[in-house]
Amino acid sequence: MTIFTSNTSINKPINEVYGFLADFNNHQKLMPENIQEWVSTVDEASFNIQNMGKLSLKIDSRISDQEITITPASKPPFNLELKWSLSFDNDHTDVLYTINADLNMMMKMLASGPLQKLADYETQQLTAILS
């Protein structure tokens, strides 16, 4: 597994950050411009990645005010797990976003940069929206 991480700190209570992330409808606001045709419910989302293909994801598990795990809802080009981990420290919520991707050597060369940029972009957007 190849792991990509990004973290941020948000001056909001943990339940507010968790509430935003626990609803997949809100995740569209975290996505870059190359994500198109977004369709979502509270638990699932499907979308097209420009020049790459369609992806369907589902929230696999929720641990209230701690963690949200997202997995593919249909067969992806490679195994994938997305995880939002939250912790509260005094007056702010620390957020760690992790993308675990099972990439072969060729896919690793092609996808590592875009996946790290995606992780960083999503945490930056989360901070901008909730600040």
Side-chain angles (χ1 to χ4, degrees), residues 50-76:
Q50 191 175 25
N51 301 324
M52 290 192 54
K54 189 171 182 95
L55 187 60
S56 295
L57 299 173
K58 65 180 178 183
I59 294 181
D60 194 51
S61 69
R62 293 178 179 92
I63 302 172
S64 188
D65 294 343
Q66 292 179 36
E67 187 177 274
I68 297 156
T69 303
I70 300 165
T71 57
S74 60
K75 185 73 178 131

Side-chain angles (χ1 to χ4, degrees), residues 4-8 84 95-98 116 119-121 123-124:
F4 307 92
T5 62
S6 185
N7 54 33
T8 188
W84 292 94
V95 180
L96 174 63
Y97 182 46
T98 306
Q116 184 62 56
D120 292 339
Y121 186 86
T123 56
Q124 290 167 6

Side-chain angles (χ1 to χ4, degrees), residues 3 5 16 24 34 46 49 56 67 70 95 105 111 120 122:
I3 300 170
T5 62
E16 194 172 324
F24 232 145
N34 67 335
S46 63
I49 305 168
S56 295
E67 187 177 274
I70 300 165
V95 180
M105 213 41 134
D120 292 339
E122 286 193 59

Side-chain angles (χ1 to χ4, degrees), residues 29-102:
K29 300 171 189 166
L30 304 178
M31 295 295 164
E33 290 179 9
N34 67 335
I35 302 297
Q36 301 168 337
E37 298 176 34
W38 179 276
V39 177
S40 62
T41 66
V42 170
D43 296 317
E44 292 192 22
S46 63
F47 49 89
N48 280 327
I49 305 168
Q50 191 175 25
N51 301 324
M52 290 192 54
K54 189 171 182 95
L55 187 60
S56 295
L57 299 173
K58 65 180 178 183
I59 294 181
D60 194 51
S61 69
R62 293 178 179 92
I63 302 172
S64 188
D65 294 343
Q66 292 179 36
E67 187 177 274
I68 297 156
T69 303
I70 300 165
T71 57
S74 60
K75 185 73 178 131
F78 49 85
N79 289 331
L80 182 69
E81 179 187 77
L82 313 171
K83 189 178 289 185
W84 292 94
S85 303
L86 310 175
S87 61
F88 193 71
D89 185 23
N90 293 327
D91 60 347
H92 62 276
T93 300
D94 291 322
V95 180
L96 174 63
Y97 182 46
T98 306
I99 299 174
N100 289 310
D102 190 10

Side-chain angles (χ1 to χ4, degrees), residues 100-119:
N100 289 310
D102 190 10
L103 304 173
N104 63 34
M105 213 41 134
M106 185 66 156
M107 286 298 289
K108 195 172 190 174
M109 288 176 18
L110 293 172
S112 287
L115 285 172
Q116 184 62 56
K117 284 181 184 174
L118 176 65

